[in-house]
Amino acid sequence: MKRLFLLLACLAPLAFWACSDKEVAGISTVETENAFLIQIVREDSKPAVGVVARMRSVDFVRNIEDDSPKAFFFEEFKTDSLGQIRIDSLAVDVATIEIVDAGEGLFTKISAEDIQEGDSVQYALEKTGSLRGKVYLPDSVDYAWVQVYGTDRLVKTDSEGFYEMDSLPPYEYDMRVIVGDSIIEQSAKIDAGENVSANVRTFEPDSVKVLDFESASAQFTIKELGISETGYMSSTDTSVKTTPEVEIIPETRKDLSDFIVEAGADREGNAIYWETSAAKPGSWSFYGIWICKEESPCDLSATDSIVYYARGTGVISIILETLGESNTEGKTLAYDTLKTSDEWTRRVIKPENFKPRDDLYGNLGWEVISKSVTTISIAAYDSTQFWIDDVVFYGVKPSDFTAR
């Protein structure tokens, strides 16, 4: 098998106890010679009585051929009336101890050497978290398996590669992902009560559908990155008339339900539609959406082409912008003339099609703006009626839209 090693988060050097463990004052009133005594307490410092602790080898992973609901472990303990468990020996060099109880948990490591020396320690349970994400599947693979070392956690992704794991105690976990004949190993850190995204890239798509108009509540969605954004409509001044009506900047119309319509003309699904007329040059109406944060604009300069489907008559433009007080604001735009409302056509815009820099209305050109994008807009000029759908950027990856 081919082994690939990827890293989601930097691994801190391993001390004897992992840094994610919440260790509190040790206990010293019980004789622990040649044994290891652990006391478990709740977040309110009261003993955690009757909770189950399961021990496994640190390199244990659950077999993907066993999908039964039973738990896998080599030893199980239950805390006594003081919240204590006593470990007299260890069958492996290093083991993990896992507790999950009523939304709280603990995950840590223990070594045979420490058992021999004898010691005592106390841990407080913390709120459990969850792990979810996407495994990017090659075309020939329908699903992947996600395992977590030292636990019996095992999940099978859906056909798109998405997976979820709940009730994980805080820790920096080592993961093992089986994708076809490849094995990928990486880590993911979960803090108390945190929902963590951990995506696994055996490869990464070289295109991103930036705009999809199936829903009025979200047009830019990258599920595996937790991105779900909706846009807004506006116009430059009172000389611009639109159907449906929009606001005038700096105001925006955020209810897009009137603009999301059936695509029509033998195209399935929905599209965005509006009519506009402008009484003077330099005026237009537009749809806009934030695709990257103001404090961390995206570098989309690797874009090879922007492809979308449209029908209608009139002049529109695709605009990339850098907005926000902390940035040098500007835009770059490429015009497109639509000539028929009767059928959908596939439109392609290349970087060289964007208007050269002239600083008119903030046009700083492709070379400047593409390296620092916060928003994308679709503008309509003069007398224009049009439908547009499925705006895809080729040459960029989903990770290009994460915060830098």
Side-chain angles (χ1 to χ4, degrees):
M1 285 190 178
K2 178 174 60 176
R3 298 180 66 88
L4 306 175
F5 294 89
L6 304 176
L7 194 62
L8 283 184
C10 294
L11 287 171
L14 289 176
F16 179 69
W17 296 104
C19 62
S20 60
D21 297 328
K22 186 178 181 181
E23 185 175 337
V24 292
I27 46 183
S28 57
T29 58
V30 179
E31 178 63 41
T32 62
E33 184 177 358
N34 298 322
F36 197 87
L37 190 66
I38 300 176
Q39 184 179 42
I40 308 298
V41 298
R42 300 283 184 186
E43 286 192 312
D44 60 6
S45 298
K46 294 181 180 179
V49 179
V51 300
V52 175
R54 288 171 175 155
M55 185 179 290
R56 305 176 184 90
S57 171
V58 71
D59 57 1
F60 171 82
V61 289
R62 187 166 185 160
N63 192 323
I64 63 174
E65 296 178 358
D66 192 332
D67 58 357
S68 66
K70 67 180 181 181
F72 288 84
F73 52 88
F74 71 72
E75 195 162 0
E76 184 177 87
F77 306 87
K78 182 176 286 188
T79 59
D80 61 19
S81 60
L82 298 177
Q84 298 174 352
I85 59 175
R86 179 186 176 100
I87 303 173
D88 295 307
S89 62
L90 201 60
V92 295
D93 290 335
V94 182
T96 63
I97 296 176
E98 182 181 31
I99 298 173
V100 177
D101 185 82
E104 296 180 326
L106 167 73
F107 189 85
T108 190
K109 295 178 182 178
I110 186 173
S111 74
E113 181 179 349
D114 295 303
I115 299 299
Q116 294 171 358
E117 293 178 355
D119 201 353
S120 61
V121 70
Q122 184 185 78
Y123 290 103
L125 300 180
E126 297 181 88
K127 287 184 174 60
T128 58
S130 65
L131 186 63
R132 60 201 63 213
K134 179 177 181 177
V135 180
Y136 289 92
L137 302 175
D139 291 339
S140 59
V141 177
D142 297 327
Y143 59 85
W145 292 98
V146 182
Q147 304 163 309
V148 178
Y149 280 106
T151 81
D152 63 353
R153 307 301 179 98
L154 171 68
V155 296
K156 182 181 179 180
T157 71
D158 64 17
S159 59
E160 295 183 78
F162 290 103
Y163 73 93
E164 295 184 6
M165 287 186 185
D166 295 318
S167 302
L168 286 164
Y171 197 74
E172 187 167 4
Y173 291 95
D174 293 324
M175 300 165 57
R176 184 175 189 261
V177 183
I178 302 174
V179 186
D181 62 353
S182 298
I183 295 177
I184 301 97
E185 296 187 351
Q186 61 186 41
S187 67
K189 184 179 180 181
I190 298 177
D191 292 324
E194 187 178 30
N195 298 319
V196 173
S197 176
N199 300 315
V200 183
R201 296 182 173 89
T202 54
F203 82 104
E204 193 173 11
D206 61 356
S207 65
V208 177
K209 182 184 287 188
V210 174
L211 294 178
D212 184 343
F213 297 103
E214 289 305 308
S215 170
S217 60
Q219 296 86 54
F220 176 48
T221 303
I222 304 181
K223 182 178 176 182
E224 63 270 27
L225 299 180
I227 296 174
S228 180
E229 298 289 343
T230 189
Y232 49 86
M233 300 289 302
S234 192
S235 62
T236 55
D237 56 68
T238 56
S239 73
V240 180
K241 306 299 181 184
T242 65
T243 304
E245 293 184 354
V246 301
E247 301 289 343
I248 300 172
I249 53 175
E251 302 299 323
T252 60
R253 177 172 174 173
K254 297 181 180 178
D255 176 11
L256 301 182
S257 56
D258 291 339
F259 298 87
I260 307 298
V261 300
E262 291 185 3
D266 297 325
R267 183 176 178 83
E268 295 183 356
N270 295 333
I272 192 169
Y273 162 84
W274 80 92
E275 299 178 43
T276 189
S277 62
K280 61 181 183 179
S283 300
W284 59 87
S285 59
F286 64 94
Y287 162 90
I289 189 168
W290 286 81
I291 60 173
C292 298
K293 297 179 180 180
E294 174 185 343
E295 60 271 22
S296 55
C298 297
D299 184 350
L300 304 183
S301 59
T303 300
D304 171 74
S305 60
I306 301 172
V307 176
Y308 56 94
Y309 289 83
R311 67 184 179 98
T313 55
V315 179
I316 67 172
S317 69
I318 302 296
I319 306 172
L320 304 184
E321 298 171 293
T322 304
L323 299 180
E325 294 180 357
S326 58
N327 301 315
T328 300
E329 295 192 323
K331 66 183 179 182
T332 182
L333 71 164
Y335 292 104
D336 189 9
T337 300
L338 306 178
K339 297 182 178 180
T340 178
S341 296
D342 296 331
E343 62 180 358
W344 287 88
T345 58
R346 182 177 184 267
R347 323 293 292 183
V348 180
I349 293 177
K350 298 271 190 181
E352 57 265 28
N353 299 136
F354 280 78
K355 186 178 180 182
R357 178 173 183 169
D358 58 11
D359 294 309
L360 185 63
Y361 302 115
N363 175 33
L364 301 184
W366 173 266
E367 291 298 325
V368 174
I369 299 298
S370 64
K371 296 180 175 66
S372 188
V373 178
T374 58
T375 58
I376 180 173
S377 297
I378 303 169
Y381 307 86
D382 304 326
S383 180
T384 296
Q385 176 190 39
F386 76 110
W387 296 254
I388 190 169
D389 192 23
D390 290 351
V391 180
V392 179
F393 280 54
Y394 287 89
V396 295
K397 301 175 174 61
S399 57
D400 291 327
F401 292 85
T402 60
R404 292 184 294 179

